[in-house]
Every structure is written in C-alpha cells, then in structure tokens.
Amino acid sequence: MTNKKVIVTGATGKTGGRVSALLKAAGHQVYQLSRSGKNEGTQRHFDWNEQNSYNLGFNETDWQGVDSAYLLAPAGVVDLLPAMKPFIDRLLERDITPVLLSSSSLESGGPFMGAVHEYLQKNASLWHVLRPSWFMENFSEQQHLPTIRDEGKIFSATEDGKVGFVSADDIAAVAVRLLTDHNLKSGDYIITGPEAISYDMVAQIISESIGKQITHERLTTAQLSEQHQNGGLSKEYADGLAALDAAIAAGDENRVTDCVERLSGKPPVSFESFAREKQAVWIS
C-alpha cells in the first residue's frame, strides 16, 4: 500500500493517539493535531473553537497530498455540526476523505455526531463514520475508573442492558484501514467487541481480575444526569448522556458485528482479556 499523508485530530487522546501510532508504524506521514500542539514538525496546534488554527500552520505545499483526516468531535458540545462544519468544509474543498468517530447509538441525522454524519453523507465524495459501541477504556481510563478504584462501584442507568464493549485499540485498527484504503466505499461501521455483556457482568469480570468485589450500582436516568452535572457537565449534555444509558437498558446496544476482524484482519479483544491486561489500574 502506498504511504499516505493523514491528519489526526485529538492526537493526544484515547483513540487519536492510538491511530497516530499505528499510522506512523506503518510508514504513513501523520500530522498530529491537538490543542497543545506547537506547529513544529508534524505536531500542529488545533482547537475547534479557534478558527485561526484551522490552517494548521500549513503552506500550500503542506496541504498537497493530504489523503484523509481522522475527526474527533470537541468534548462537551451538544450542537456539533456548527462547531465542526467550518474545518470539515476546508477538508472537503481539498477532497480530503473524512473519517469521523461517532457512536453506535447515534444514527445519521441524530443528536451529537449524528448531524455531522449526515452532513458528510450529503457533501463528501468519500466518507467514513466509525460507530463503535461503548469503550472498554471507560472502565480503565475514564469515568468509571475512580469509582471502581475508590468505591468499588460502577454507576449506570443501564439496568440489565447488554453492550458489545470494544477496545480503543480495535477501534484504532479499523480507523487506520479506513484512513488509508480508498478502495472502500463510503459508509458507517458499527464496531463492537466479540460479545455483548451487562454492567453486572463487567463488575463480575473486573472483580475476578483484581480479587476484590466490584458492584454495579443501578441509578435512574435522573440520578445519573445529576451525577454527571455534579462532575461539571451542563444539564443538557448530562441529560443526553443519561439518555444513552436508557437506550442500553432498552436493548439498543445488545449486538455484535464482525467489523473489527473484517477490516483489521484480527479478532476483537474480549473484556476478560482486557480486564487481565488492565488490572493494575484498578488496584493502584
């Protein structure tokens, strides 16, 4: 495969960092965009809220040959299309293929990234939308880590609903394929792990991994929204996140796909394997 020139937004983040590493390991040229970037070498300053950062410190030669761009939406923003459209339009004007990270729970035209998905579908000549199920790393790197480690609890409003939890490494592997293989047709990709499990089962697996009892604390959506707001999120955004848990409870995420193996050539990581690998973060 010919080496590509790829833009990665959110390059210091959970998926962007992994995408960047895989691309570079494969010999591709990667421009790593982040708010902390200094416009030095391949590190570029980029902030969705600063339109004067959209040129990335590029001259016309730098833009030439850019094939694709990995798009990570700004955090905490409900109405994402107005926030992302100006930079996306710059990419589309140059016929750069956008690969958007969305969510399995968000259809084209829906809330959050759904509006951006629809815009790409209508305006890009070639586009891809990653729609992963919920991340395994939510338990090892993000919102559930402190409560597992400090309280021995996982809080959710998912009731008995099951989720095809998927690892960020598997998501990154799929992203790299889509960023570098332009023979694939436009489309969206539901990305899951090998099985759908409930939050009760997650708690049990982590308990067995670390030898300490972890429990799933069941909340109402109102209680979960309040918890998110106490963590600093706006009520609108917190209500939106709580509604996603309600959708899980209703069975919307109870599915698995072959997307990871079909596009990366490797089977997805199981939650049991993930828990064995990450056990140190929960007992540190």
Side-chain angles (χ1 to χ4, degrees), residues 72-234:
L72 180 69
V77 178
V78 176
D79 195 4
L80 284 167
L81 182 57
M84 298 178 72
K85 182 179 178 296
F87 183 65
I88 288 173
D89 285 343
R90 292 200 180 195
L91 301 178
L92 299 187
E93 287 168 3
R94 297 176 179 274
D95 203 28
I96 295 170
T97 299
V99 176
L100 172 70
L101 180 67
S102 183
S103 167
S104 60
S105 60
L106 299 176
E107 300 281 352
S108 175
F112 299 115
M113 282 78 73
V116 184
H117 180 166
E118 182 180 46
Y119 186 76
L120 296 180
Q121 193 170 355
K122 290 180 177 179
N123 294 281
S125 57
L126 179 63
W127 58 272
H128 301 293
V129 175
L130 304 176
R131 294 178 59 198
S133 187
W134 292 70
F135 288 42
M136 293 180 182
E137 284 77 10
N138 289 348
F139 301 97
S140 65
E141 298 179 18
Q142 289 192 289
Q143 67 266 32
H144 297 299
L145 172 59
T147 63
I148 292 171
R149 188 179 53 206
D150 301 337
E151 302 177 51
K153 293 181 180 180
I154 299 169
F155 296 91
S156 90
T158 60
E159 300 179 3
D160 293 316
K162 293 184 178 181
V163 178
F165 291 104
V166 62
S167 79
D169 291 321
D170 287 331
I171 296 167
V174 172
V176 168
R177 173 72 186 280
L178 297 173
L179 287 162
T180 58
D181 186 350
H182 296 332
N183 292 317
L184 296 170
K185 295 180 181 179
S186 296
D188 62 320
Y189 304 83
I190 303 291
I191 308 172
T192 75
E195 61 180 340
I197 58 177
S198 68
Y199 276 66
D200 284 348
M201 296 166 72
V202 166
Q204 179 181 342
I205 291 168
I206 295 175
S207 297
E208 292 171 353
S209 174
I210 64 176
K212 172 185 173 182
Q213 183 63 43
I214 305 299
T215 59
H216 172 212
E217 188 82 6
R218 299 181 177 213
L219 305 178
T220 65
T221 53
Q223 289 172 328
L224 183 61
S225 176
E226 183 178 1
Q227 188 179 79
H228 287 320
Q229 291 173 63
N230 291 339
L233 298 182
S234 69

